[in-house]
Amino acid sequence: MTFFDMACRGCGARRVEPFLDLGDQPHCNRLIPERLAAIPEPKFPLRAGFCHDCTLVQIDHTIPKESMFSDYPYVSGTTRTLTEHFKETAARLSATFGLGPQDLVVDIGSNDGTALKAYQALGLRTLGVEPAANVATLALEAGVETLNRFFNEETAAVIRRDYGPAKLVTAAGVFFHLEELHSVCRGIQQLLAEDGVFSVQAIYLGGMVEKTAFDQIYHEHLCYYTLRSLQALLAQHGLEVFEVSVKPIHGGSLEAHIGHPGKRPVSPRVAEMLAEEARAGLGELATYQAFADRVWRLRDDLLAALHDQAARGRRVFAYSAPAKGATLLNAFGIGPDLVQCAVERAPLKFDHLIPGARIPIRDEAKTERPDAYLMLAWNFLDEFIVKERDFLRAGGEFIVPVPHVRVVGAEALAA
Ligand SMILES: [Zn+2]
């Protein structure tokens, strides 16, 4: 048995065993302008391992956070589904925890401020912490007070001094990015008011395993949590999970509510979910080895489906170019010979290449229809089937890569 040459990001033990090697991959969010296509891009190992001590699943290679998050292309306000999700979350958490007008809400990784705006609308004091200068500026312009820095113990001390303790600290979709994980946890512990709540949302590893959603693995995501591994991390810093649930967003997201120990009753749901995780084998390496086997089966099936389209003279484009699409394309060795381009609606992505795979990204509105689309954003499939019903009725097809490879045509409209 060989281990990664690293201390576990969660518990510090040196028993993190690799189970999935997705090859050397470029930073998946760094789209390449077409005029720079001749310049090779740096690539880094993308491998996942399992800690035999605390069960945390993690990747071993860290791209320094400064190079990844100082200029970030993902702006949350652009996705309507997410905006709605933030509104719903703000209303629900404010009601559940009885937040009032003088209470402070701090959002870690606040992006363009979309999530905090939902709290502002409810009359709360808000503060964002966002390391990417370009999106922090957008938040400030939108009237959301934002500190342009990384959240850690030092930042927490500054906030506590200048704004007072926080009744609610939120971190949606960023907790697995955090390189300074332990400093972040200490910071949260110190920033929270006596009865304050830390609400975290992270990709749920249980959902990833269930759906074989290996394309959630990319360099930005250093850790992949179960309730058990999250609890083990937080316990080291005197924090207690008192409520937990799994939300459908992003194809399975863990939401945990955390506080100072003994300050709030621990929901029976916590013990139930730990038991479910044990039954699903999420604390055992063999489960992740089986997951890896399924990933390579997906590769074989997907390549067969793409070669079949090519043999029949059908053109295949990718439908949108999400970050996770790059993981899949690069891990499976899919390039422009099999998928000629990707169509997008986000103007920032036009006339760029998908990293590694070097597939050009085109304006959806100005690009003719192919015979089939590779559905990289497979978690939005139902939405796309409705939106593209005319395409499907005219003989177009969607090639869906995950959770298992299938080709969807007009028959899906009946369902
Ligand atoms: Zn560990």
Side-chain angles (χ1 to χ4, degrees):
M1 178 182 328
T2 40
F3 298 130
F4 282 142
D5 181 21
M6 72 181 297
C8 170
R9 297 176 188 278
C11 73
R14 302 193 68 87
R15 299 207 302 146
V16 182
E17 185 167 347
F19 62 83
L20 179 62
D21 185 347
L22 297 171
D24 287 352
Q25 297 216 13
H27 175 197
C28 67
N29 260 323
R30 189 121 305 167
L31 300 179
I32 306 154
E34 274 182 272
R35 64 193 156 77
L36 302 178
I39 302 171
E41 54 204 311
K43 293 184 179 177
F44 311 93
L46 186 59
R47 304 181 290 211
F50 167 81
C51 173
H52 284 275
D53 289 64
C54 74
T55 76
L56 181 64
V57 166
Q58 56 206 287
I59 61 170
D60 67 325
H61 187 86
T62 306
I63 301 181
K65 63 188 189 310
E66 288 77 9
S67 87
M68 254 193 306
F69 299 113
S70 300
D71 179 25
Y72 196 55
Y74 179 71
V75 176
S76 57
T78 53
T79 322
R80 198 184 320 137
T81 318
L82 267 184
T83 309
E84 284 306 310
H85 167 75
F86 287 140
K87 269 193 197 161
E88 179 271 325
T89 304
R92 182 168 50 85
L93 296 187
S94 302
T96 305
F97 302 126
L99 301 182
Q102 290 312 308
D103 292 336
L104 175 67
V105 180
V106 174
D107 189 27
I108 302 175
S110 53
N111 204 282
D112 62 354
T114 307
L116 283 177
K117 273 199 154 160
Y119 289 96
Q120 282 185 343
L122 299 171
L124 289 147
R125 281 196 301 144
T126 64
L127 179 66
V129 183
E130 171 53 56
N134 60 336
V135 284
T137 304
L138 289 178
L140 287 167
E141 284 167 359
V144 178
E145 192 170 357
T146 300
L147 301 180
N148 179 211
R149 56 189 290 173
F150 286 95
F151 184 89
N152 51 27
E153 209 173 356
E154 291 74 44
T155 302
V158 168
I159 296 172
R160 182 140 191 154
R161 185 193 67 205
D162 295 348
Y163 301 84
K167 271 290 174 85
L168 179 65
V169 175
T170 55
V174 295
F175 203 60
F176 38 71
H177 298 351
L178 304 170
E179 191 183 323
E180 305 173 285
L181 201 48
H182 295 276
S183 172
V184 168
C185 290
R186 284 194 298 272
I188 290 164
Q189 200 271 344
Q190 289 154 23
L191 179 58
L192 279 184
E194 184 78 6
D195 61 345
V197 176
F198 172 44
S199 175
V200 64
Q201 283 192 344
I203 291 169
Y204 183 46
L205 181 60
M208 272 175 70
V209 168
E210 194 188 313
K211 297 197 174 74
T212 318
F214 76 99
D215 52 353
Q216 297 279 19
I217 300 175
Y218 40 98
H219 289 114
E220 279 175 19
H221 297 169
L222 300 174
C223 300
Y224 305 81
Y225 295 101
T226 57
L227 174 58
R228 178 174 168 187
S229 61
L230 180 67
Q231 227 180 17
L233 169 72
L234 294 165
Q236 294 171 54
H237 301 286
L239 291 166
E240 180 177 74
V241 178
F242 63 84
E243 184 59 276
V244 68
S245 58
V246 175
K247 307 275 165 202
I249 195 152
H250 289 316
S253 157
L254 179 74
E255 182 183 86
H257 296 156
I258 294 143
H260 296 295
K263 294 295 169 196
R264 288 173 186 270
V266 177
S267 153
R269 187 67 201 121
V270 172
E272 282 166 22
M273 196 158 153
L274 288 172
E276 284 163 19
E277 289 183 347
R279 277 197 297 276
L282 295 173
E284 290 154 42
L285 176 67
T287 301
Y288 302 100
Q289 288 167 330
F291 168 80
D293 291 342
R294 295 199 299 279
V295 172
W296 301 125
R297 209 173 311 141
L298 288 182
R299 173 193 57 191
D300 296 346
D301 293 350
L302 182 58
L303 288 176
L306 292 172
H307 283 297
D308 175 62
Q309 294 279 340
R312 291 189 287 138
R314 290 168 64 86
R315 290 188 310 167
V316 179
F317 296 171
Y319 195 83
S320 86
K324 65 179 170 191
T327 290
L328 181 142
L329 296 167
N330 290 314
F332 291 178
I334 296 169
D337 54 326
L338 288 173
V339 176
Q340 293 168 25
C341 70
V343 295
E344 258 290 347
R345 307 177 98 184
L348 281 174
K349 295 185 178 179
F350 298 164
D351 303 316
H352 284 66
L353 303 171
I354 295 176
R358 298 293 177 121
I359 293 171
I361 302 172
R362 304 274 180 248
D363 181 350
E364 184 187 343
K366 293 182 183 161
T367 308
E368 52 180 331
R369 297 297 194 134
D371 300 295
Y373 284 115
L374 174 59
M375 199 53 59
L376 294 173
W378 51 267
N379 45 317
F380 294 113
L381 179 67
D382 293 346
E383 223 171 278
F384 294 150
I385 285 174
V386 174
K387 190 177 148 226
E388 298 296 347
R389 52 191 178 273
D390 293 342
F391 169 74
L392 294 171
R393 279 194 194 111
E397 290 176 325
F398 288 158
I399 302 167
V400 185
V402 176
H404 50 265
V405 176
R406 61 199 171 111
V407 177
V408 171
E411 78 288 345
L413 294 166

